[in-house]
Amino acid sequence: EKADIRMILAFAEDVKRIYGIRKSLSEYVETLMKRHAPNVAAVAGASTGAELIAEAGSLQRLAMLPSSTVQLLGAEQALFKHLKDKRQRPPKAGVLHSHPLVTAAPRQQQGRIAKLLADKISIAARVDYFKGKFVGDSLLSDLKKRLQERAASTATATATAGKQK
């Protein structure tokens, strides 16, 4: 019994230590992203932005990619499955699938939101690579404004369609 309790406590300490390491790594990535790609970090978030840069290979390559490619970064395997077998549905988002704006959206809207997000991230990456000024907050607020407009127009269209029936 005491041996079991000791093992459980040791395991709990290991888990606690791993969470501490995870937190410090997350803070480190956030610091690096704010230093080297502040606009991408503001729009995509530090961890998603770092993952996009890693998938692209570098900030330079991310800046040179079209937004449609940025949208699908990380979904290459699903894309090739779709190209091989047309019955497979095409991917809507790769790394961006984990972004809070995409995950919070209804399933039917996730592809559109990922597209809008990829547009803004693409602009942010170009500004960061070519050493422009910080525009991340305005890009993010513009994105949220467009999403609110889209949601309002969708709600209006749904209400109008409901009245016609």
Side-chain angles (χ1 to χ4, degrees), residues 7-37:
M7 288 302 292
I8 291 169
L9 288 174
F11 179 69
E13 285 296 321
D14 288 345
V15 169
K16 185 178 175 184
R17 188 176 47 79
I18 289 170
Y19 270 104
I21 292 169
R22 180 178 181 217
K23 184 179 179 197
S24 66
L25 278 174
S26 177
E27 290 169 356
Y28 174 70
V29 166
E30 194 158 329
T31 303
L32 280 180
M33 285 298 292
K34 284 182 179 176
R35 186 180 323 140
H36 296 290

Side-chain angles (χ1 to χ4, degrees), residues 28-151:
Y28 174 70
V29 166
E30 194 158 329
T31 303
L32 280 180
M33 285 298 292
K34 284 182 179 176
R35 186 180 323 140
H36 296 290
N39 292 301
V40 173
V43 177
S47 62
T48 304
E51 207 171 332
L52 283 168
I53 291 171
E55 284 287 336
S58 67
L59 179 60
Q60 177 187 8
R61 183 145 187 279
L62 182 65
M64 301 302 169
L65 291 175
S67 64
S68 59
T69 305
V70 171
Q71 180 181 348
L72 294 179
L73 278 176
E76 291 82 5
Q77 199 171 18
L79 178 64
F80 291 127
K81 278 185 183 178
H82 166 70
L83 292 174
K84 187 176 176 183
D85 179 10
K86 295 296 180 188
R87 291 176 299 200
Q88 293 279 335
R89 295 179 58 176
K92 303 294 182 209
V95 171
L96 296 182
H97 186 70
S98 64
H99 192 279
L101 290 175
V102 177
T103 56
R107 186 137 174 86
Q108 305 87 353
Q109 298 290 315
Q110 288 181 350
R112 288 190 185 116
I113 292 172
K115 182 177 187 284
L116 292 172
L117 184 60
D119 290 343
K120 297 300 179 185
I121 290 170
S122 199
I123 292 168
R126 290 176 185 140
V127 171
D128 284 337
Y129 179 69
F130 293 107
K131 303 294 184 223
K133 58 185 173 187
F134 182 74
V135 293
D137 291 339
S138 65
L139 288 171
L140 188 60
S141 66
D142 183 45
L143 173 66
K144 288 181 179 178
K145 181 179 159 192
R146 288 182 67 183
L147 290 175
Q148 286 174 345
E149 290 170 359
R150 188 175 290 262

